[in-house]
Amino acid sequence: MSTTLLWLAIFVTAVVAGLRADTIGTDVRTYVEPMYNLAKQSNSYVEFLNSSFLKEYINKKISSSEPGYSLFVYIIAKTVGSLAANLFFTQLFINAFILFGIWHFRDKMNVWLGMWVFYTLFYNESLNIIRQWMAMSVLVYGFKYLSEQRWGRYLICILFATSFHSSGMVGLLFLVVYYLLSNVNDDAKILVALPNRKISLKVTITALVTILFTFLFLNPQVISTLLNGIGRSDYVAGYMKNGISFSLIRLLNVLPMALLYIFRYKTIKEDARYFFAVTVFGSIAVAQFSTVTTFGGRILDFFIMYNVYTMPLLTKNSKALKLLVIAYCIFYWWYYIVFLRYNDTVPYIFG
């Protein structure tokens, strides 16, 4: 695939996002449009920061929003001056970071399949939870720095992502996990209870980290404390009183990826292999966490966003598996986006 086609994919879908009505994606009317209107009306950036709007029955001051996103909205309002432009450049931002992240690994996986995964599994959602997807797109792009062990550059990605949505701090967890795995000797093994049995230290660390994530996301008290700590008290506000219950819909969301990983994990190089094991199997616990809070699905996104890499990598050199992934993505898009109407982006309406 040429860079021309890549840019075409980035640009065309950004245009589609920009031309949509403000009813496509609930967050557009919740904060995108109000913030844009305030930016348009303000005489200075300071005045914009000191203004406020009503968000979910709470008077929210612009200065309490993430600074990167506030500045982004203000610049577009003052230079281009239309809500459609705001939506267009927002999606251009997301698309570019995601697709150029995929492009970086073009020698190791099928770029077109990574793009297919993004546009079928995540594009509609990015029209809704806008700030979070801006943050996640930066972290997805930043994975190349993790894989190259360029910790400083990945840390910059985390800071940049967090300037658009505070949940970008989740990247710190991924940084710690990848750093631990990459600094363990590939040949290091430890004794286990069975006689004369040793297992890889990397496998052990991977299992322990996954168990830790499982404990965190199946323990509402612990995770609510962490969410409050990173400024996401709005996520905590979505808690349901009955605690965690089993969700078949959420399990079906992540189970195919887990099965694919189990059978094909050797197609991924070792450090990334173990890192993706944490995100894939950790996502099973996080998926059930979504039964506790209506925002659980948004936290799950940080684990499954790497599907744009894992699905192409795990299906490498297998036409049959690629076809299965394509079919799964079509089913996912139809079931979750069209049938269940997740993210309120279907039917599409022009603005």
Side-chain angles (χ1 to χ4, degrees):
M1 175 181 287
S2 67
T3 53
T4 301
L5 289 175
L6 188 73
W7 271 114
L8 189 62
I10 291 170
F11 183 79
V12 170
T13 52
V15 170
V16 172
L19 294 177
R20 73 188 189 271
D22 63 1
T23 55
I24 303 301
T26 55
D27 280 7
V28 176
R29 283 187 170 178
T30 300
Y31 64 81
V32 176
E33 193 168 20
M35 288 182 69
Y36 164 78
N37 289 333
L38 288 172
K40 184 75 174 173
Q41 297 163 11
S42 63
N43 296 313
S44 68
Y45 186 58
V46 173
E47 181 182 328
F48 172 58
L49 291 178
N50 289 326
S51 58
S52 59
F53 65 97
L54 195 64
K55 180 184 178 184
E56 297 172 348
Y57 307 106
I58 298 174
N59 203 38
K60 184 176 178 64
K61 205 168 184 178
I62 297 295
S63 58
S64 67
S65 299
E66 289 81 353
Y69 184 71
S70 299
L71 181 61
F72 180 87
V73 170
Y74 183 80
I75 290 173
I76 292 173
K78 293 304 184 185
T79 55
V80 186
S82 73
L83 179 63
N86 179 297
L87 298 175
F88 166 77
F89 282 109
T90 297
Q91 198 63 43
L92 192 72
F93 179 103
I94 295 169
N95 290 354
F97 273 104
I98 295 285
L99 269 61
F100 276 104
I102 294 170
W103 178 258
H104 178 77
F105 296 97
R106 60 191 178 278
D107 295 332
K108 298 180 176 64
M109 67 183 214
N110 292 104
V111 171
W112 66 265
L113 187 57
M115 292 169 60
W116 174 261
V117 171
F118 170 64
Y119 283 119
T120 52
L121 302 191
F122 303 123
Y123 174 74
N124 287 78
E125 186 180 60
S126 71
L127 300 179
N128 179 27
I129 54 175
I130 294 168
R131 287 179 303 147
Q132 182 172 324
W133 260 106
M134 293 179 82
M136 289 195 299
S137 68
V138 175
L139 294 181
V140 169
Y141 177 82
F143 177 74
K144 74 176 189 176
Y145 298 126
L146 277 184
S147 65
E148 295 167 356
Q149 300 183 26
R150 300 164 77 177
W151 315 122
R153 294 199 175 191
Y154 183 70
L155 186 58
I156 291 173
C157 286
I158 294 173
L159 295 174
F160 186 51
T162 304
S163 75
F164 288 92
H165 199 261
S166 60
S167 62
M169 291 178 67
V170 170
L172 288 172
L173 292 177
F174 296 141
L175 174 60
V176 171
V177 171
Y178 208 100
Y179 180 82
L180 283 174
L181 292 171
S182 64
N183 282 278
V184 173
N185 190 306
D186 291 338
D187 298 322
K189 298 181 184 296
I190 62 171
L191 290 170
V192 293
L194 297 175
N196 301 318
R197 177 70 173 171
K198 294 182 179 181
I199 60 173
S200 166
L201 182 56
K202 282 191 175 183
V203 171
T204 304
I205 292 174
T206 301
L208 290 175
V209 171
T210 304
I211 291 170
L212 176 61
F213 277 137
T214 301
F215 168 76
L216 288 176
F217 287 101
L218 295 183
N219 190 316
Q221 290 74 31
V222 173
I223 195 62
S224 63
T225 300
L226 292 175
L227 288 172
N228 280 316
I230 64 171
R232 298 316 312 182
S233 57
D234 52 337
Y235 284 14
V236 179
Y239 281 143
M240 294 164 53
K241 295 181 180 179
N242 296 328
I244 290 175
S245 59
F246 176 73
S247 171
L248 179 60
I249 290 179
R250 286 298 184 183
L251 180 62
L252 292 175
N253 194 345
V254 296
L255 187 59
M257 186 66 244
L259 293 174
L260 181 61
Y261 181 89
I262 289 171
F263 289 105
R264 296 280 295 181
Y265 68 92
K266 289 184 179 180
T267 60
I268 304 176
K269 75 172 188 176
E270 287 209 341
D271 289 344
R273 178 192 306 172
Y274 296 118
F275 173 77
F276 287 140
V278 172
T279 62
V280 168
F281 295 111
S283 68
I284 296 176
V286 182
Q288 298 310 306
F289 174 65
S290 62
T291 65
V292 177
T293 169
T294 55
F295 290 100
R298 296 193 175 197
I299 298 172
L300 174 64
D301 285 331
F302 280 98
F303 287 78
I304 64 175
M305 66 183 182
Y306 291 112
N307 283 359
V308 298
Y309 295 132
T310 52
M311 285 185 167
L313 287 169
L314 293 170
T315 56
K316 188 176 181 180
N317 301 324
S318 175
K319 185 176 180 180
L321 286 176
K322 285 185 179 70
L323 291 174
L324 281 175
V325 165
I326 291 170
Y328 166 74
C329 289
I330 293 172
F331 172 78
Y332 179 99
W333 183 83
W334 172 81
Y335 184 66
Y336 287 98
I337 303 301
V338 178
F339 182 68
L340 294 181
R341 302 283 297 275
Y342 279 14
N343 302 297
D344 291 328
T345 58
V346 174
Y348 180 90
I349 302 173
F350 285 98

